[in-house]
Amino acid sequence: MKKDDLLLIIDMQNVYDQGGKWECLDTRGAARNLLKIIDSGMENVIFTRFIADEISPKGVWADYNKKYSDVNSDTYANQMLREFNEPLKKFPLYTKSVYSSLAIPQVLEACRKTAQKGGRVVVGGVVAECCVLSTVLALIDEGIYTVYLTDAVSGLDRPKEKAVELTFSGLSPLHLKMLTTSQYMEEAL
């Protein structure tokens, strides 16, 4: 773990938890591992969440909103997992209505500043094959070195998680590094 790194926690909302409409394979395990990093003293953390743009969605997002209107209107489904209540008192939470967290200007700026200081963006959250994939590719396009936490990311199922890891293996080590939470935390400071 390096002190100049930024931990970017993507969309850890109830809808992706066990029993949620978009339940991911191991949201709980991802949450536990992200909390380990936070509890170890990580000082630079940002949370994002996905909330549908009901006012002026672009293109296919209007169809998406129509198809998932039940989720979009479910307050509980859109709340962050309760495990993050305490960290959310300390660290910012930004909202997006597209897959990539870099669509949020404050997140993009924080990631750029992290890279300028020699830090990396460490990514965890859900959904591996959707918002996480899109965010990591956007980070790479920005020239920002990324750490993908294999056990702090969850997808809808194991084949999709593995497909994302296979894709990223072709980009490693030049653009990103894939580590477990333990491996990341054991890195020299």
Side-chain angles (χ1 to χ4, degrees), residues 87-119:
L88 283 165
K89 292 176 183 176
K90 181 177 180 182
F91 301 112
L93 168 64
Y94 297 106
T95 300
K96 60 188 175 65
S97 59
V98 296
Y99 292 137
S100 176
S101 294
L102 267 59
I104 305 166
Q106 299 93 325
V107 174
L108 176 59
E109 184 60 27
C111 292
R112 285 176 174 163
K113 285 181 181 177
T114 295
Q116 289 169 353
K117 294 179 191 173

PDB file of all heavy atoms in Angstrom, residues 87-119:
ATOM      1  N   PRO A  87     -17.168   5.121   7.023  1.00  0.00           N
ATOM      2  CA  PRO A  87     -16.240   5.744   6.079  1.00  0.00           C
ATOM      3  C   PRO A  87     -16.868   6.867   5.258  1.00  0.00           C
ATOM      4  O   PRO A  87     -16.195   7.836   4.910  1.00  0.00           O
ATOM      5  CB  PRO A  87     -15.808   4.578   5.171  1.00  0.00           C
ATOM      6  CG  PRO A  87     -16.016   3.353   5.981  1.00  0.00           C
ATOM      7  CD  PRO A  87     -17.197   3.654   6.864  1.00  0.00           C
ATOM      8  N   LEU A  88     -18.162   6.763   4.985  1.00  0.00           N
ATOM      9  CA  LEU A  88     -18.825   7.807   4.203  1.00  0.00           C
ATOM     10  C   LEU A  88     -18.980   9.116   4.978  1.00  0.00           C
ATOM     11  O   LEU A  88     -19.253  10.155   4.381  1.00  0.00           O
ATOM     12  CB  LEU A  88     -20.186   7.315   3.700  1.00  0.00           C
ATOM     13  CG  LEU A  88     -20.090   6.367   2.505  1.00  0.00           C
ATOM     14  CD1 LEU A  88     -21.403   5.627   2.291  1.00  0.00           C
ATOM     15  CD2 LEU A  88     -19.679   7.118   1.249  1.00  0.00           C
ATOM     16  N   LYS A  89     -18.779   9.073   6.285  1.00  0.00           N
ATOM     17  CA  LYS A  89     -18.756  10.306   7.069  1.00  0.00           C
ATOM     18  C   LYS A  89     -17.442  11.052   6.861  1.00  0.00           C
ATOM     19  O   LYS A  89     -17.366  12.256   7.087  1.00  0.00           O
ATOM     20  CB  LYS A  89     -18.943  10.000   8.561  1.00  0.00           C
ATOM     21  CG  LYS A  89     -20.323   9.482   8.897  1.00  0.00           C
ATOM     22  CD  LYS A  89     -20.416   9.117  10.363  1.00  0.00           C
ATOM     23  CE  LYS A  89     -21.778   8.523  10.713  1.00  0.00           C
ATOM     24  NZ  LYS A  89     -21.832   8.071  12.118  1.00  0.00           N
ATOM     25  N   LYS A  90     -16.424  10.331   6.445  1.00  0.00           N
ATOM     26  CA  LYS A  90     -15.085  10.901   6.287  1.00  0.00           C
ATOM     27  C   LYS A  90     -14.716  11.176   4.829  1.00  0.00           C
ATOM     28  O   LYS A  90     -14.013  12.137   4.532  1.00  0.00           O
ATOM     29  CB  LYS A  90     -14.066   9.934   6.900  1.00  0.00           C
ATOM     30  CG  LYS A  90     -12.635  10.390   6.829  1.00  0.00           C
ATOM     31  CD  LYS A  90     -11.706   9.409   7.527  1.00  0.00           C
ATOM     32  CE  LYS A  90     -10.269   9.879   7.435  1.00  0.00           C
ATOM     33  NZ  LYS A  90      -9.333   8.940   8.050  1.00  0.00           N
ATOM     34  N   PHE A  91     -15.181  10.310   3.922  1.00  0.00           N
ATOM     35  CA  PHE A  91     -14.760  10.381   2.526  1.00  0.00           C
ATOM     36  C   PHE A  91     -15.930  10.754   1.623  1.00  0.00           C
ATOM     37  O   PHE A  91     -17.075  10.411   1.901  1.00  0.00           O
ATOM     38  CB  PHE A  91     -14.164   9.033   2.088  1.00  0.00           C
ATOM     39  CG  PHE A  91     -12.989   8.607   2.907  1.00  0.00           C
ATOM     40  CD1 PHE A  91     -13.073   7.510   3.746  1.00  0.00           C
ATOM     41  CD2 PHE A  91     -11.786   9.301   2.845  1.00  0.00           C
ATOM     42  CE1 PHE A  91     -11.981   7.095   4.501  1.00  0.00           C
ATOM     43  CE2 PHE A  91     -10.690   8.908   3.590  1.00  0.00           C
ATOM     44  CZ  PHE A  91     -10.785   7.805   4.427  1.00  0.00           C
ATOM     45  N   PRO A  92     -15.647  11.429   0.491  1.00  0.00           N
ATOM     46  CA  PRO A  92     -16.730  11.885  -0.384  1.00  0.00           C
ATOM     47  C   PRO A  92     -17.401  10.763  -1.170  1.00  0.00           C
ATOM     48  O   PRO A  92     -16.786   9.750  -1.504  1.00  0.00           O
ATOM     49  CB  PRO A  92     -16.020  12.855  -1.341  1.00  0.00           C
ATOM     50  CG  PRO A  92     -14.601  12.387  -1.368  1.00  0.00           C
ATOM     51  CD  PRO A  92     -14.321  11.845   0.012  1.00  0.00           C
ATOM     52  N   LEU A  93     -18.671  11.003  -1.476  1.00  0.00           N
ATOM     53  CA  LEU A  93     -19.483  10.130  -2.311  1.00  0.00           C
ATOM     54  C   LEU A  93     -19.999  10.971  -3.470  1.00  0.00           C
ATOM     55  O   LEU A  93     -20.627  12.006  -3.261  1.00  0.00           O
ATOM     56  CB  LEU A  93     -20.667   9.558  -1.516  1.00  0.00           C
ATOM     57  CG  LEU A  93     -21.765   8.844  -2.313  1.00  0.00           C
ATOM     58  CD1 LEU A  93     -21.232   7.594  -2.999  1.00  0.00           C
ATOM     59  CD2 LEU A  93     -22.946   8.510  -1.399  1.00  0.00           C
ATOM     60  N   TYR A  94     -19.703  10.513  -4.691  1.00  0.00           N
ATOM     61  CA  TYR A  94     -20.144  11.219  -5.887  1.00  0.00           C
ATOM     62  C   TYR A  94     -21.097  10.330  -6.681  1.00  0.00           C
ATOM     63  O   TYR A  94     -20.961   9.114  -6.693  1.00  0.00           O
ATOM     64  CB  TYR A  94     -18.953  11.612  -6.762  1.00  0.00           C
ATOM     65  CG  TYR A  94     -18.009  12.570  -6.081  1.00  0.00           C
ATOM     66  CD1 TYR A  94     -16.775  12.131  -5.615  1.00  0.00           C
ATOM     67  CD2 TYR A  94     -18.346  13.905  -5.908  1.00  0.00           C
ATOM     68  CE1 TYR A  94     -15.899  13.007  -4.994  1.00  0.00           C
ATOM     69  CE2 TYR A  94     -17.477  14.783  -5.282  1.00  0.00           C
ATOM     70  CZ  TYR A  94     -16.255  14.330  -4.829  1.00  0.00           C
ATOM     71  OH  TYR A  94     -15.395  15.203  -4.214  1.00  0.00           O
ATOM     72  N   THR A  95     -22.026  10.969  -7.358  1.00  0.00           N
ATOM     73  CA  THR A  95     -23.053  10.263  -8.117  1.00  0.00           C
ATOM     74  C   THR A  95     -22.804  10.403  -9.609  1.00  0.00           C
ATOM     75  O   THR A  95     -22.438  11.477 -10.091  1.00  0.00           O
ATOM     76  CB  THR A  95     -24.439  10.841  -7.769  1.00  0.00           C
ATOM     77  OG1 THR A  95     -24.650  10.670  -6.356  1.00  0.00           O
ATOM     78  CG2 THR A  95     -25.539  10.146  -8.528  1.00  0.00           C
ATOM     79  N   LYS A  96     -23.030   9.287 -10.317  1.00  0.00           N
ATOM     80  CA  LYS A  96     -22.914   9.264 -11.772  1.00  0.00           C
ATOM     81  C   LYS A  96     -24.156   8.611 -12.348  1.00  0.00           C
ATOM     82  O   LYS A  96     -24.873   7.899 -11.648  1.00  0.00           O
ATOM     83  CB  LYS A  96     -21.661   8.496 -12.200  1.00  0.00           C
ATOM     84  CG  LYS A  96     -21.646   7.050 -11.751  1.00  0.00           C
ATOM     85  CD  LYS A  96     -20.296   6.411 -12.032  1.00  0.00           C
ATOM     86  CE  LYS A  96     -20.207   5.014 -11.499  1.00  0.00           C
ATOM     87  NZ  LYS A  96     -21.090   4.055 -12.122  1.00  0.00           N
ATOM     88  N   SER A  97     -24.390   8.840 -13.623  1.00  0.00           N
ATOM     89  CA  SER A  97     -25.532   8.215 -14.289  1.00  0.00           C
ATOM     90  C   SER A  97     -25.095   7.484 -15.555  1.00  0.00           C
ATOM     91  O   SER A  97     -25.897   7.231 -16.446  1.00  0.00           O
ATOM     92  CB  SER A  97     -26.608   9.257 -14.603  1.00  0.00           C
ATOM     93  OG  SER A  97     -26.076  10.260 -15.436  1.00  0.00           O
ATOM     94  N   VAL A  98     -23.812   7.170 -15.621  1.00  0.00           N
ATOM     95  CA  VAL A  98     -23.219   6.363 -16.684  1.00  0.00           C
ATOM     96  C   VAL A  98     -22.283   5.364 -16.014  1.00  0.00           C
ATOM     97  O   VAL A  98     -22.094   5.398 -14.802  1.00  0.00           O
ATOM     98  CB  VAL A  98     -22.460   7.229 -17.711  1.00  0.00           C
ATOM     99  CG1 VAL A  98     -23.416   8.174 -18.445  1.00  0.00           C
ATOM    100  CG2 VAL A  98     -21.331   8.012 -17.059  1.00  0.00           C
ATOM    101  N   TYR A  99     -21.679   4.495 -16.783  1.00  0.00           N
ATOM    102  CA  TYR A  99     -20.847   3.452 -16.195  1.00  0.00           C
ATOM    103  C   TYR A  99     -19.542   3.973 -15.588  1.00  0.00           C
ATOM    104  O   TYR A  99     -19.198   3.635 -14.471  1.00  0.00           O
ATOM    105  CB  TYR A  99     -20.539   2.374 -17.225  1.00  0.00           C
ATOM    106  CG  TYR A  99     -21.743   1.566 -17.643  1.00  0.00           C
ATOM    107  CD1 TYR A  99     -21.956   1.251 -18.975  1.00  0.00           C
ATOM    108  CD2 TYR A  99     -22.670   1.116 -16.713  1.00  0.00           C
ATOM    109  CE1 TYR A  99     -23.063   0.504 -19.367  1.00  0.00           C
ATOM    110  CE2 TYR A  99     -23.780   0.375 -17.092  1.00  0.00           C
ATOM    111  CZ  TYR A  99     -23.968   0.071 -18.420  1.00  0.00           C
ATOM    112  OH  TYR A  99     -25.048  -0.663 -18.802  1.00  0.00           O
ATOM    113  N   SER A 100     -18.808   4.789 -16.300  1.00  0.00           N
ATOM    114  CA  SER A 100     -17.484   5.197 -15.823  1.00  0.00           C
ATOM    115  C   SER A 100     -17.556   6.231 -14.708  1.00  0.00           C
ATOM    116  O   SER A 100     -18.210   7.270 -14.840  1.00  0.00           O
ATOM    117  CB  SER A 100     -16.652   5.778 -16.970  1.00  0.00           C
ATOM    118  OG  SER A 100     -15.415   6.251 -16.468  1.00  0.00           O
ATOM    119  N   SER A 101     -16.821   5.957 -13.647  1.00  0.00           N
ATOM    120  CA  SER A 101     -16.737   6.925 -12.537  1.00  0.00           C
ATOM    121  C   SER A 101     -15.964   8.170 -12.944  1.00  0.00           C
ATOM    122  O   SER A 101     -16.091   9.212 -12.310  1.00  0.00           O
ATOM    123  CB  SER A 101     -16.068   6.269 -11.321  1.00  0.00           C
ATOM    124  OG  SER A 101     -16.887   5.250 -10.810  1.00  0.00           O
ATOM    125  N   LEU A 102     -15.169   8.082 -14.005  1.00  0.00           N
ATOM    126  CA  LEU A 102     -14.426   9.248 -14.459  1.00  0.00           C
ATOM    127  C   LEU A 102     -15.311  10.272 -15.160  1.00  0.00           C
ATOM    128  O   LEU A 102     -14.865  11.373 -15.464  1.00  0.00           O
ATOM    129  CB  LEU A 102     -13.248   8.846 -15.350  1.00  0.00           C
ATOM    130  CG  LEU A 102     -11.937   8.669 -14.578  1.00  0.00           C
ATOM    131  CD1 LEU A 102     -12.017   7.632 -13.496  1.00  0.00           C
ATOM    132  CD2 LEU A 102     -10.788   8.434 -15.502  1.00  0.00           C
ATOM    133  N   ALA A 103     -16.572   9.942 -15.388  1.00  0.00           N
ATOM    134  CA  ALA A 103     -17.520  10.916 -15.924  1.00  0.00           C
ATOM    135  C   ALA A 103     -17.848  11.980 -14.882  1.00  0.00           C
ATOM    136  O   ALA A 103     -18.387  13.031 -15.222  1.00  0.00           O
ATOM    137  CB  ALA A 103     -18.797  10.219 -16.383  1.00  0.00           C
ATOM    138  N   ILE A 104     -17.502  11.709 -13.632  1.00  0.00           N
ATOM    139  CA  ILE A 104     -17.713  12.676 -12.547  1.00  0.00           C
ATOM    140  C   ILE A 104     -16.492  13.587 -12.509  1.00  0.00           C
ATOM    141  O   ILE A 104     -15.373  13.130 -12.251  1.00  0.00           O
ATOM    142  CB  ILE A 104     -17.873  11.953 -11.194  1.00  0.00           C
ATOM    143  CG1 ILE A 104     -19.002  10.916 -11.254  1.00  0.00           C
ATOM    144  CG2 ILE A 104     -18.078  12.959 -10.065  1.00  0.00           C
ATOM    145  CD1 ILE A 104     -19.014   9.937 -10.088  1.00  0.00           C
ATOM    146  N   PRO A 105     -16.650  14.888 -12.762  1.00  0.00           N
ATOM    147  CA  PRO A 105     -15.494  15.786 -12.832  1.00  0.00           C
ATOM    148  C   PRO A 105     -14.594  15.743 -11.590  1.00  0.00           C
ATOM    149  O   PRO A 105     -13.363  15.766 -11.711  1.00  0.00           O
ATOM    150  CB  PRO A 105     -16.121  17.176 -13.024  1.00  0.00           C
ATOM    151  CG  PRO A 105     -17.454  16.902 -13.637  1.00  0.00           C
ATOM    152  CD  PRO A 105     -17.906  15.588 -13.062  1.00  0.00           C
ATOM    153  N   GLN A 106     -15.185  15.676 -10.402  1.00  0.00           N
ATOM    154  CA  GLN A 106     -14.383  15.659  -9.173  1.00  0.00           C
ATOM    155  C   GLN A 106     -13.548  14.384  -9.066  1.00  0.00           C
ATOM    156  O   GLN A 106     -12.426  14.410  -8.561  1.00  0.00           O
ATOM    157  CB  GLN A 106     -15.280  15.774  -7.929  1.00  0.00           C
ATOM    158  CG  GLN A 106     -16.090  17.038  -7.864  1.00  0.00           C
ATOM    159  CD  GLN A 106     -17.487  16.884  -8.478  1.00  0.00           C
ATOM    160  OE1 GLN A 106     -17.695  16.176  -9.458  1.00  0.00           O
ATOM    161  NE2 GLN A 106     -18.456  17.589  -7.905  1.00  0.00           N
ATOM    162  N   VAL A 107     -14.087  13.284  -9.530  1.00  0.00           N
ATOM    163  CA  VAL A 107     -13.349  12.018  -9.496  1.00  0.00           C
ATOM    164  C   VAL A 107     -12.207  12.059 -10.499  1.00  0.00           C
ATOM    165  O   VAL A 107     -11.079  11.676 -10.185  1.00  0.00           O
ATOM    166  CB  VAL A 107     -14.290  10.815  -9.750  1.00  0.00           C
ATOM    167  CG1 VAL A 107     -13.505   9.520  -9.853  1.00  0.00           C
ATOM    168  CG2 VAL A 107     -15.341  10.731  -8.640  1.00  0.00           C
ATOM    169  N   LEU A 108     -12.489  12.521 -11.696  1.00  0.00           N
ATOM    170  CA  LEU A 108     -11.450  12.639 -12.719  1.00  0.00           C
ATOM    171  C   LEU A 108     -10.313  13.527 -12.221  1.00  0.00           C
ATOM    172  O   LEU A 108      -9.137  13.165 -12.332  1.00  0.00           O
ATOM    173  CB  LEU A 108     -12.044  13.195 -14.014  1.00  0.00           C
ATOM    174  CG  LEU A 108     -11.052  13.465 -15.141  1.00  0.00           C
ATOM    175  CD1 LEU A 108     -10.290  12.203 -15.538  1.00  0.00           C
ATOM    176  CD2 LEU A 108     -11.786  14.064 -16.348  1.00  0.00           C
ATOM    177  N   GLU A 109     -10.651  14.653 -11.637  1.00  0.00           N
ATOM    178  CA  GLU A 109      -9.626  15.576 -11.133  1.00  0.00           C
ATOM    179  C   GLU A 109      -8.812  14.937 -10.012  1.00  0.00           C
ATOM    180  O   GLU A 109      -7.588  15.061  -9.971  1.00  0.00           O
ATOM    181  CB  GLU A 109     -10.276  16.876 -10.647  1.00  0.00           C
ATOM    182  CG  GLU A 109      -9.281  17.922 -10.191  1.00  0.00           C
ATOM    183  CD  GLU A 109      -8.309  18.368 -11.275  1.00  0.00           C
ATOM    184  OE1 GLU A 109      -8.642  18.296 -12.475  1.00  0.00           O
ATOM    185  OE2 GLU A 109      -7.188  18.790 -10.922  1.00  0.00           O
ATOM    186  N   ALA A 110      -9.465  14.242  -9.093  1.00  0.00           N
ATOM    187  CA  ALA A 110      -8.750  13.577  -7.996  1.00  0.00           C
ATOM    188  C   ALA A 110      -7.811  12.499  -8.536  1.00  0.00           C
ATOM    189  O   ALA A 110      -6.687  12.352  -8.044  1.00  0.00           O
ATOM    190  CB  ALA A 110      -9.747  12.965  -7.009  1.00  0.00           C
ATOM    191  N   CYS A 111      -8.253  11.764  -9.531  1.00  0.00           N
ATOM    192  CA  CYS A 111      -7.401  10.727 -10.133  1.00  0.00           C
ATOM    193  C   CYS A 111      -6.198  11.352 -10.823  1.00  0.00           C
ATOM    194  O   CYS A 111      -5.068  10.848 -10.707  1.00  0.00           O
ATOM    195  CB  CYS A 111      -8.212   9.881 -11.110  1.00  0.00           C
ATOM    196  SG  CYS A 111      -9.466   8.852 -10.321  1.00  0.00           S
ATOM    197  N   ARG A 112      -6.418  12.437 -11.534  1.00  0.00           N
ATOM    198  CA  ARG A 112      -5.300  13.131 -12.201  1.00  0.00           C
ATOM    199  C   ARG A 112      -4.296  13.649 -11.176  1.00  0.00           C
ATOM    200  O   ARG A 112      -3.082  13.530 -11.363  1.00  0.00           O
ATOM    201  CB  ARG A 112      -5.827  14.283 -13.049  1.00  0.00           C
ATOM    202  CG  ARG A 112      -6.495  13.840 -14.329  1.00  0.00           C
ATOM    203  CD  ARG A 112      -7.076  15.014 -15.081  1.00  0.00           C
ATOM    204  NE  ARG A 112      -7.597  14.616 -16.379  1.00  0.00           N
ATOM    205  CZ  ARG A 112      -8.443  15.353 -17.092  1.00  0.00           C
ATOM    206  NH1 ARG A 112      -8.860  16.538 -16.622  1.00  0.00           N
ATOM    207  NH2 ARG A 112      -8.870  14.927 -18.265  1.00  0.00           N
ATOM    208  N   LYS A 113      -4.780  14.246 -10.083  1.00  0.00           N
ATOM    209  CA  LYS A 113      -3.880  14.754  -9.041  1.00  0.00           C
ATOM    210  C   LYS A 113      -3.099  13.619  -8.398  1.00  0.00           C
ATOM    211  O   LYS A 113      -1.911  13.770  -8.094  1.00  0.00           O
ATOM    212  CB  LYS A 113      -4.678  15.518  -7.975  1.00  0.00           C
ATOM    213  CG  LYS A 113      -5.117  16.881  -8.425  1.00  0.00           C
ATOM    214  CD  LYS A 113      -5.871  17.607  -7.322  1.00  0.00           C
ATOM    215  CE  LYS A 113      -6.319  18.967  -7.806  1.00  0.00           C
ATOM    216  NZ  LYS A 113      -7.105  19.667  -6.790  1.00  0.00           N
ATOM    217  N   THR A 114      -3.749  12.494  -8.186  1.00  0.00           N
ATOM    218  CA  THR A 114      -3.067  11.328  -7.620  1.00  0.00           C
ATOM    219  C   THR A 114      -1.920  10.910  -8.527  1.00  0.00           C
ATOM    220  O   THR A 114      -0.801  10.673  -8.055  1.00  0.00           O
ATOM    221  CB  THR A 114      -4.066  10.164  -7.437  1.00  0.00           C
ATOM    222  OG1 THR A 114      -5.038  10.557  -6.462  1.00  0.00           O
ATOM    223  CG2 THR A 114      -3.376   8.891  -6.988  1.00  0.00           C
ATOM    224  N   ALA A 115      -2.177  10.830  -9.817  1.00  0.00           N
ATOM    225  CA  ALA A 115      -1.138  10.433 -10.778  1.00  0.00           C
ATOM    226  C   ALA A 115      -0.001  11.455 -10.813  1.00  0.00           C
ATOM    227  O   ALA A 115       1.175  11.067 -10.883  1.00  0.00           O
ATOM    228  CB  ALA A 115      -1.751  10.258 -12.162  1.00  0.00           C
ATOM    229  N   GLN A 116      -0.333  12.734 -10.746  1.00  0.00           N
ATOM    230  CA  GLN A 116       0.693  13.778 -10.762  1.00  0.00           C
ATOM    231  C   GLN A 116       1.627  13.679  -9.563  1.00  0.00           C
ATOM    232  O   GLN A 116       2.802  14.015  -9.651  1.00  0.00           O
ATOM    233  CB  GLN A 116       0.048  15.166 -10.804  1.00  0.00           C
ATOM    234  CG  GLN A 116      -0.603  15.475 -12.129  1.00  0.00           C
ATOM    235  CD  GLN A 116      -1.468  16.723 -12.088  1.00  0.00           C
ATOM    236  OE1 GLN A 116      -1.704  17.312 -11.029  1.00  0.00           O
ATOM    237  NE2 GLN A 116      -1.975  17.118 -13.238  1.00  0.00           N
ATOM    238  N   LYS A 117       1.121  13.174  -8.442  1.00  0.00           N
ATOM    239  CA  LYS A 117       1.927  13.003  -7.228  1.00  0.00           C
ATOM    240  C   LYS A 117       2.684  11.677  -7.224  1.00  0.00           C
ATOM    241  O   LYS A 117       3.367  11.358  -6.255  1.00  0.00           O
ATOM    242  CB  LYS A 117       1.035  13.050  -5.987  1.00  0.00           C
ATOM    243  CG  LYS A 117       0.387  14.380  -5.727  1.00  0.00           C
ATOM    244  CD  LYS A 117      -0.495  14.269  -4.490  1.00  0.00           C
ATOM    245  CE  LYS A 117      -1.381  15.473  -4.320  1.00  0.00           C
ATOM    246  NZ  LYS A 117      -2.343  15.278  -3.226  1.00  0.00           N
ATOM    247  N   GLY A 118       2.507  10.887  -8.282  1.00  0.00           N
ATOM    248  CA  GLY A 118       3.172   9.590  -8.352  1.00  0.00           C
ATOM    249  C   GLY A 118       2.372   8.447  -7.758  1.00  0.00           C
ATOM    250  O   GLY A 118       2.883   7.330  -7.616  1.00  0.00           O
ATOM    251  N   GLY A 119       1.121   8.706  -7.409  1.00  0.00           N
ATOM    252  CA  GLY A 119       0.271   7.663  -6.857  1.00  0.00           C
ATOM    253  C   GLY A 119      -0.484   6.919  -7.944  1.00  0.00           C
ATOM    254  O   GLY A 119      -0.445   7.282  -9.122  1.00  0.00           O
TER     255      GLY A 119
END
